[in-house]
């Protein structure tokens, strides 16, 4: 059976032959109980043919595709409904979100898969490698290796070094009269001649990243918007995990009108709430955490925020203050605005105030924004990542 | 993959006897294999044919299928493939009573494959053998041509949905003499009316003369030829045109592509042919999904309920059967719909409802009580399984009685501005609307053919016969790159697109202020269509309005 790597290798060859690449990376989330899931990375591809478009042009505005149904009722009766965005201000119940968010599995599984995904993204989708991982912030950690040598006792005999010493000793003792005809049986071996390798502690310097993922989980974020944000965040996380050779720590923050930290990715992915939106609360919480735990000294800090662009703080006064503060210590802030398709060409609030404040150009090396549509496909999401991390 | 054991085979043979007693017809020989779910995952991208040619898209599907299985394990009951002998696959963990039910289901599938006339083109082919030799040829070519073989498969598959299946089927259904336009038809239908434009009077005179000649056994055409010396030549030319215009895009390319005519590209023809044959083989299956699944479900239910081996497992059966054949509150289930429709048809026919008397009845009570005790339903549905496909089945038999009886409706979905929610509602309970909704879900590839009169100067001109459905624009480029490659020159595609009347997204609720009611209710303008020409040249796509 062919492997994913071989498939991707083949796919790369297409470009040499002048054809577009066809394999894309898809994800399946394995659901389970307890809010933990596992992400499975699979390749996907589309076989293009001439086919009829599914769009229904006669559709009335606001109508969806019709389908079959069975049951009691008269024409016009509503048989069920699905909230798009519950009433503002209404106290929302926190609950598991729809979609493939809930699931069980260990964190390790996610991590190993994410590392693989990061590798694929970096190698096959040409996401750039980090040039400067931040030298000043390094982590000292120790690894153990058999590099030191010791005479007399130790764990592993270094045969070559030992033989050298024995020969040396015997030359000194005049035990080798004729170098052309050595009699090994006459060698005198001192215990001190035995050279061993011993286990030793080595200091290893590596840079380390801390990533804050911030997500708007207010009522308006229902459906595809959340999926797109989370997709992008999964890929960002995977990419960083690969770049930092797994030396990545993550913190997850959700916000509506208040921000709160959640412990793991699954909660981050799956929670939804029926609240309003105050973006600044999330940025403020990050600033507080960084200050309280004195994280800025040891880590390269990345902050990624996903939102649909809706904010009660319409001019972003509070948000901009928090962002300015954050810019003093972060390596990168990336803000993804995923627009609902009904927004049209209108700019969202967050987009508007970020642009008018000039903060994007002033700190263009630290602060990036990506505006995409909720229907964005994987390649668009990956392209967005490129702009967020460039 | 191994054959089922003797005990299980015994159950199957018993099922066959009972199924035949009720009128099902199928070859006596069948092969039943036990497979693992992993086998199934590996087979499904190859449409369950173990010997189908290798191709990387299948590998992609297998890898993602395995991922999917890891996340969502499933346990399919059975799969049948349309071969001779018919082959079916099972899990090895089914209890005997369940096997009885599954075998009835499978036998009905086999009966359908072997009796429905839309499958006639598959009856004389040993598919697994054919596929195996194709697979070997492809493997050999791959070792010689490397990845260019895969490109050829890819490009051929890009047009394998618009194969001339119906024409191919016609060849099998009609006898040789009927296929060709005969001289008489040409003379009366085309020559006299279209070419010579003769008067009615003269036309009728010729017919009279023809009828007289039938009796006297004189040669009708001797006079024709002496009158119109050009007749024979025109007839010959007409046959040629008719024959040519029948080619689908794949055949046309195989026969006429200047690129494939070059010696070093000759091998591609056999690859395209393999892809085309494989596609044609599966066309009937795509077009009889509701019927085929409905038929199998109808019979497993009918036969198993009358089988003493159900004793003690009635509740188990009810559970399994409900899982397969219950109607979803919102959504479609082809098994359930097809089964109910067959049951409905049998009932209607038993009561003699497909009659003028019934048609004339206006009151519901009278309709309900109507019964002529014809009891011919059993034979009637056997006829239907022989002569119908999904479209004709749905179009002919979904009537108001059926929709009302099963409480069916068209479920709509709409955005509720005031409640900020997506509402599901009963859009219509009329059979016509329900029928239309189902018909819209049926497989219907676009009709695109080579326009021979405009295919010249090295340009392949494709014409999309427009049926009020535009093509999926995203797919046009890559598909045309493939055709250009196989054709070896520029390719033009004529199709229709909506002239955008500016349907803006603001028709939705005002997101920022949901309470604001939209005052003006825009009347939906009828869509205007414009004819577009897509031009693929040197792997670049352009388009312009015609």
């Amino acid at each position: 059976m062919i492997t994913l790597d071989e498939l991707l290798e083949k796919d790369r060859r297409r470009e040499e032959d002048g054809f577009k690449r066809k394999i894309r990376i898809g994800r399946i989330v394995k659901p389970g109980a307890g809010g933990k899931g596992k992400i499975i990375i699979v390749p996907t591809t589309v076989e293009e043919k001439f086919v009829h478009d599914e769009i229904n042009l006669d559709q009335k505005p606001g109508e969806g595709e019709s389908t079959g149904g069975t049951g009691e009722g008269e024409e016009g009766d509503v048989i069920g409904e699905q909230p798009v965005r519950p009433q503002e201000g209404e106290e929302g119940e926190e609950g598991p979100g729809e979609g493939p968010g809930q699931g069980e599995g260990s964190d390790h599984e996610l991590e190993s898969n994410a590392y693989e995904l990061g590798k694929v993204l970096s190698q096959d989708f040409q996401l750039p490698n980090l040039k400067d991982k931040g030298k000043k912030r390094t982590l000292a950690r120790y690894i153990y290796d058999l590099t030191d040598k010791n005479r007399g006792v130790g764990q592993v005999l270094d045969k070559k070094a030992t033989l050298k010493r024995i020969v040396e000793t015997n030359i000194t003792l005049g035990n080798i009269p004729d170098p052309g005809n050595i009699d090994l049986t006459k060698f005198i071996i001192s215990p001190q001649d035995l050279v061993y390798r011993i286990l030793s502690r080595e200091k290893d310097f590596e840079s380390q990243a801390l990533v804050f993922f911030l997500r708007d989980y207010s009522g308006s974020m229902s459906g595809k918007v959340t999926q797109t944000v989370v997709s992008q965040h999964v890929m960002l996380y995977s990419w960083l995990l690969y770049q930092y050779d797994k030396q990545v720590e993550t913190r997850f923050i959700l916000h509506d009108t208040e921000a709160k930290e959640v412990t793991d990715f699954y909660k981050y992915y799956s929670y939804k709430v029926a609240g309003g939106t105050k973006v600044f609360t999330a940025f403020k919480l990050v600033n507080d955490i960084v200050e309280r735990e004195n994280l800025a000294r040891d880590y390269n800090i990345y902050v990624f925020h996903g939102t649909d662009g809706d904010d009660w703080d319409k001019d972003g006064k509070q948000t901009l203050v928090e962002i300015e503060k954050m810019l003093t210590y972060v390596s990168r802030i990336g803000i993804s605005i995923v627009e609902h398709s009904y927004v049209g060409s209108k700019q969202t609030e967050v987009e508007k105030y970020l642009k008018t404040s000039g903060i994007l150009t002033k700190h263009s090396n630290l602060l990036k924004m990506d505006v995409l549509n909720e229907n964005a496909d994987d390649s668009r999401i990956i392209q967005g990542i490129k702009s967020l991390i460039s | 993959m191994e054959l089922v054991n003797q005990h299980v085979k015994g159950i199957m043979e018993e099922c066959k006897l009972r199924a035949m007693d009720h009128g099902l017809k199928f070859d006596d020989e069948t092969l039943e294999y036990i497979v693992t779910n992993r086998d199934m995952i590996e087979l499904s991208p190859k449409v369950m044919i173990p010997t189908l040619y290798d191709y990387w898209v299948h590998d992609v599907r297998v890898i993602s299928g395995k991922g999917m299985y890891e996340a969502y394990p499933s346990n399919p009951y059975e799969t049948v493939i349309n071969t001779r002998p018919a082959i079916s696959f099972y899990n090895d963990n089914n209890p005997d009573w369940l096997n009885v039910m599954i075998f009835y289901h499978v036998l009905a599938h086999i009966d359908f494959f072997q009796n429905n006339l839309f499958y006639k083109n598959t009856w004389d082919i040993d598919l697994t053998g054919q596929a195996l030799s194709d697979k070997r040829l492809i493997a050999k070519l791959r070792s010689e041509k490397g990845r260019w073989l895969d490109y050829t498969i890819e490009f051929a598959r890009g047009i394998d949905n618009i194969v001339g299946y119906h024409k191919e089927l016609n060849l099998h259904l009609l006898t040789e003499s009927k296929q060709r336009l005969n001289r008489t038809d040409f003379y009366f239908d085309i020559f006299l009316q279209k070419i010579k434009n003769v008067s009615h009077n003269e036309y009728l005179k010729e017919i009279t003369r023809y009828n007289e000649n039938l009796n006297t056994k004189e040669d009708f055409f001797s006079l024709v030829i002496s009158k119109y010396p050009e007749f024979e030549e025109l007839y010959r030319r007409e046959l040629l045109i008719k024959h040519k215009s029948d080619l689908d895009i794949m055949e046309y390319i195989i026969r006429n592509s200047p690129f494939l005519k070059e010696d070093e590209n000759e091998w591609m023809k056999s690859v395209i042919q393999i892809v085309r044959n494989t596609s044609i083989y599966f066309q009937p299956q795509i077009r009889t999904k509701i019927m085929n699944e409905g038929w199998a479900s109808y019979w497993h239910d009918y036969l198993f309920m009358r089988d003493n081996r159900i004793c003690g497992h009635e509740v188990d059966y009810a559970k399994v059967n409900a899982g397969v054949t219950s109607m979803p509150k919102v959504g479609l289930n082809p098994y359930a719909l097809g089964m109910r429709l067959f049951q409905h048809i049998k009932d209607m026919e038993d009561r003699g409802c497909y009659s003028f008397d019934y048609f004339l009845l206006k009151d519901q009570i009278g309709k309900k009580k109507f019964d002529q005790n014809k009891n011919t339903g059993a034979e009637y549905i056997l006829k239907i399984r022989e002569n119908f496909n999904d479209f004709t089945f749905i179009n002919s038999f979904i009537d108001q009685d059926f929709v009302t009886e099963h409480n069916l409706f068209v479920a709509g979905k709409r955005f509720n501005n005031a409640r900020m929610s997506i509402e599901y509602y009963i859009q219509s309970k009329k059979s016509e609307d329900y029928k239309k909704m189902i018909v819209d879900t049926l497989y219907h590839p676009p009709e695109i053919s080579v326009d021979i009169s405009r295919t010249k100067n090295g340009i392949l001109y494709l014409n999309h016969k427009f049926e009020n459905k535009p093509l999926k624009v995203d797919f046009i480029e890559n598909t045309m790159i493939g055709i250009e490659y196989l054709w070896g020159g520029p390719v033009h595609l004529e199709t229709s697109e909506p002239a955008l009347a500016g349907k803006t997204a603001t028709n939705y609720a005002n997101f920022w202020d949901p309470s604001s009611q939209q005052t003006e209710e825009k009347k939906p303008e009828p869509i205007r269509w414009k004819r577009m020409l897509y031009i693929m040249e040197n792997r670049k796509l352009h388009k312009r309005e015609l």
Side-chain angles (χ1 to χ4, degrees), chain A residues 60-76:
Chain A
K60 286 179 217 127
E63 285 262 352
E65 187 100 9
S66 33
T67 177
T70 347
E72 300 292 331
E74 289 311 311
E75 280 182 15

PDB file of all heavy atoms in Angstrom, chain A residues 60-76:
ATOM      1  N   LYS A  60     -35.275  31.649  -3.169  1.00  0.00           N
ATOM      2  CA  LYS A  60     -35.578  32.950  -2.571  1.00  0.00           C
ATOM      3  C   LYS A  60     -34.483  33.275  -1.578  1.00  0.00           C
ATOM      4  O   LYS A  60     -33.887  32.380  -0.983  1.00  0.00           O
ATOM      5  CB  LYS A  60     -36.923  32.860  -1.841  1.00  0.00           C
ATOM      6  CG  LYS A  60     -38.083  32.821  -2.804  1.00  0.00           C
ATOM      7  CD  LYS A  60     -39.371  32.703  -2.007  1.00  0.00           C
ATOM      8  CE  LYS A  60     -40.362  31.818  -2.728  1.00  0.00           C
ATOM      9  NZ  LYS A  60     -40.893  30.749  -1.924  1.00  0.00           N
ATOM     10  N   PRO A  61     -34.230  34.552  -1.377  1.00  0.00           N
ATOM     11  CA  PRO A  61     -33.194  34.917  -0.412  1.00  0.00           C
ATOM     12  C   PRO A  61     -33.493  34.346   0.961  1.00  0.00           C
ATOM     13  O   PRO A  61     -34.634  34.380   1.415  1.00  0.00           O
ATOM     14  CB  PRO A  61     -33.240  36.446  -0.392  1.00  0.00           C
ATOM     15  CG  PRO A  61     -34.468  36.839  -1.125  1.00  0.00           C
ATOM     16  CD  PRO A  61     -34.793  35.731  -2.036  1.00  0.00           C
ATOM     17  N   GLY A  62     -32.492  33.813   1.586  1.00  0.00           N
ATOM     18  CA  GLY A  62     -32.676  33.282   2.930  1.00  0.00           C
ATOM     19  C   GLY A  62     -33.203  31.868   2.961  1.00  0.00           C
ATOM     20  O   GLY A  62     -33.404  31.301   4.016  1.00  0.00           O
ATOM     21  N   GLU A  63     -33.430  31.297   1.781  1.00  0.00           N
ATOM     22  CA  GLU A  63     -33.918  29.919   1.759  1.00  0.00           C
ATOM     23  C   GLU A  63     -32.775  28.955   1.530  1.00  0.00           C
ATOM     24  O   GLU A  63     -31.852  29.246   0.782  1.00  0.00           O
ATOM     25  CB  GLU A  63     -34.904  29.742   0.598  1.00  0.00           C
ATOM     26  CG  GLU A  63     -36.258  30.359   0.824  1.00  0.00           C
ATOM     27  CD  GLU A  63     -37.294  29.356   1.285  1.00  0.00           C
ATOM     28  OE1 GLU A  63     -37.008  28.155   1.286  1.00  0.00           O
ATOM     29  OE2 GLU A  63     -38.386  29.790   1.660  1.00  0.00           O
ATOM     30  N   GLY A  64     -32.855  27.811   2.134  1.00  0.00           N
ATOM     31  CA  GLY A  64     -31.851  26.791   1.901  1.00  0.00           C
ATOM     32  C   GLY A  64     -32.384  25.727   0.964  1.00  0.00           C
ATOM     33  O   GLY A  64     -33.550  25.769   0.556  1.00  0.00           O
ATOM     34  N   GLU A  65     -31.554  24.786   0.651  1.00  0.00           N
ATOM     35  CA  GLU A  65     -31.916  23.671  -0.216  1.00  0.00           C
ATOM     36  C   GLU A  65     -33.047  22.868   0.421  1.00  0.00           C
ATOM     37  O   GLU A  65     -33.022  22.576   1.610  1.00  0.00           O
ATOM     38  CB  GLU A  65     -30.699  22.779  -0.367  1.00  0.00           C
ATOM     39  CG  GLU A  65     -30.861  21.689  -1.364  1.00  0.00           C
ATOM     40  CD  GLU A  65     -30.206  22.056  -2.678  1.00  0.00           C
ATOM     41  OE1 GLU A  65     -29.502  23.072  -2.727  1.00  0.00           O
ATOM     42  OE2 GLU A  65     -30.404  21.323  -3.637  1.00  0.00           O
ATOM     43  N   SER A  66     -34.034  22.474  -0.378  1.00  0.00           N
ATOM     44  CA  SER A  66     -35.080  21.661   0.229  1.00  0.00           C
ATOM     45  C   SER A  66     -34.747  20.183   0.070  1.00  0.00           C
ATOM     46  O   SER A  66     -33.993  19.781  -0.798  1.00  0.00           O
ATOM     47  CB  SER A  66     -36.448  21.978  -0.361  1.00  0.00           C
ATOM     48  OG  SER A  66     -36.356  22.332  -1.700  1.00  0.00           O
ATOM     49  N   THR A  67     -35.349  19.393   0.930  1.00  0.00           N
ATOM     50  CA  THR A  67     -35.080  17.959   0.905  1.00  0.00           C
ATOM     51  C   THR A  67     -36.368  17.231   1.261  1.00  0.00           C
ATOM     52  O   THR A  67     -37.418  17.847   1.348  1.00  0.00           O
ATOM     53  CB  THR A  67     -33.926  17.618   1.876  1.00  0.00           C
ATOM     54  OG1 THR A  67     -33.739  16.211   1.868  1.00  0.00           O
ATOM     55  CG2 THR A  67     -34.228  18.070   3.288  1.00  0.00           C
ATOM     56  N   GLY A  68     -36.287  15.932   1.454  1.00  0.00           N
ATOM     57  CA  GLY A  68     -37.483  15.185   1.771  1.00  0.00           C
ATOM     58  C   GLY A  68     -37.759  15.189   3.263  1.00  0.00           C
ATOM     59  O   GLY A  68     -36.914  15.529   4.067  1.00  0.00           O
ATOM     60  N   GLY A  69     -38.958  14.790   3.625  1.00  0.00           N
ATOM     61  CA  GLY A  69     -39.290  14.698   5.039  1.00  0.00           C
ATOM     62  C   GLY A  69     -40.508  13.831   5.229  1.00  0.00           C
ATOM     63  O   GLY A  69     -41.246  13.558   4.284  1.00  0.00           O
ATOM     64  N   THR A  70     -40.699  13.366   6.446  1.00  0.00           N
ATOM     65  CA  THR A  70     -41.861  12.555   6.771  1.00  0.00           C
ATOM     66  C   THR A  70     -42.424  13.001   8.106  1.00  0.00           C
ATOM     67  O   THR A  70     -41.666  13.331   9.007  1.00  0.00           O
ATOM     68  CB  THR A  70     -41.495  11.066   6.993  1.00  0.00           C
ATOM     69  OG1 THR A  70     -40.198  10.834   6.528  1.00  0.00           O
ATOM     70  CG2 THR A  70     -42.485  10.160   6.366  1.00  0.00           C
ATOM     71  N   GLY A  71     -43.714  12.933   8.255  1.00  0.00           N
ATOM     72  CA  GLY A  71     -44.303  13.202   9.556  1.00  0.00           C
ATOM     73  C   GLY A  71     -45.600  13.959   9.443  1.00  0.00           C
ATOM     74  O   GLY A  71     -46.055  14.299   8.357  1.00  0.00           O
ATOM     75  N   GLU A  72     -46.198  14.199  10.626  1.00  0.00           N
ATOM     76  CA  GLU A  72     -47.467  14.903  10.686  1.00  0.00           C
ATOM     77  C   GLU A  72     -47.236  16.389  10.474  1.00  0.00           C
ATOM     78  O   GLU A  72     -46.143  16.895  10.688  1.00  0.00           O
ATOM     79  CB  GLU A  72     -48.108  14.695  12.070  1.00  0.00           C
ATOM     80  CG  GLU A  72     -48.386  13.244  12.427  1.00  0.00           C
ATOM     81  CD  GLU A  72     -49.485  12.636  11.567  1.00  0.00           C
ATOM     82  OE1 GLU A  72     -50.369  13.392  11.128  1.00  0.00           O
ATOM     83  OE2 GLU A  72     -49.443  11.415  11.320  1.00  0.00           O
ATOM     84  N   GLY A  73     -48.272  17.060  10.077  1.00  0.00           N
ATOM     85  CA  GLY A  73     -48.184  18.510   9.974  1.00  0.00           C
ATOM     86  C   GLY A  73     -48.773  19.011   8.683  1.00  0.00           C
ATOM     87  O   GLY A  73     -49.014  18.252   7.751  1.00  0.00           O
ATOM     88  N   GLU A  74     -49.055  20.313   8.691  1.00  0.00           N
ATOM     89  CA  GLU A  74     -49.630  20.932   7.504  1.00  0.00           C
ATOM     90  C   GLU A  74     -48.580  21.765   6.800  1.00  0.00           C
ATOM     91  O   GLU A  74     -47.562  22.126   7.390  1.00  0.00           O
ATOM     92  CB  GLU A  74     -50.817  21.823   7.912  1.00  0.00           C
ATOM     93  CG  GLU A  74     -52.023  21.034   8.368  1.00  0.00           C
ATOM     94  CD  GLU A  74     -52.402  19.920   7.400  1.00  0.00           C
ATOM     95  OE1 GLU A  74     -52.501  20.184   6.184  1.00  0.00           O
ATOM     96  OE2 GLU A  74     -52.587  18.769   7.855  1.00  0.00           O
ATOM     97  N   GLU A  75     -48.852  22.095   5.557  1.00  0.00           N
ATOM     98  CA  GLU A  75     -47.927  22.938   4.810  1.00  0.00           C
ATOM     99  C   GLU A  75     -47.696  24.240   5.556  1.00  0.00           C
ATOM    100  O   GLU A  75     -48.633  24.869   6.038  1.00  0.00           O
ATOM    101  CB  GLU A  75     -48.491  23.222   3.410  1.00  0.00           C
ATOM    102  CG  GLU A  75     -48.251  22.070   2.478  1.00  0.00           C
ATOM    103  CD  GLU A  75     -48.763  22.341   1.065  1.00  0.00           C
ATOM    104  OE1 GLU A  75     -49.037  23.495   0.741  1.00  0.00           O
ATOM    105  OE2 GLU A  75     -48.889  21.364   0.319  1.00  0.00           O
ATOM    106  N   GLY A  76     -46.460  24.614   5.659  1.00  0.00           N
ATOM    107  CA  GLY A  76     -46.136  25.854   6.346  1.00  0.00           C
ATOM    108  C   GLY A  76     -45.738  25.646   7.783  1.00  0.00           C
ATOM    109  O   GLY A  76     -45.132  26.527   8.401  1.00  0.00           O
TER     110      GLY A  76
END
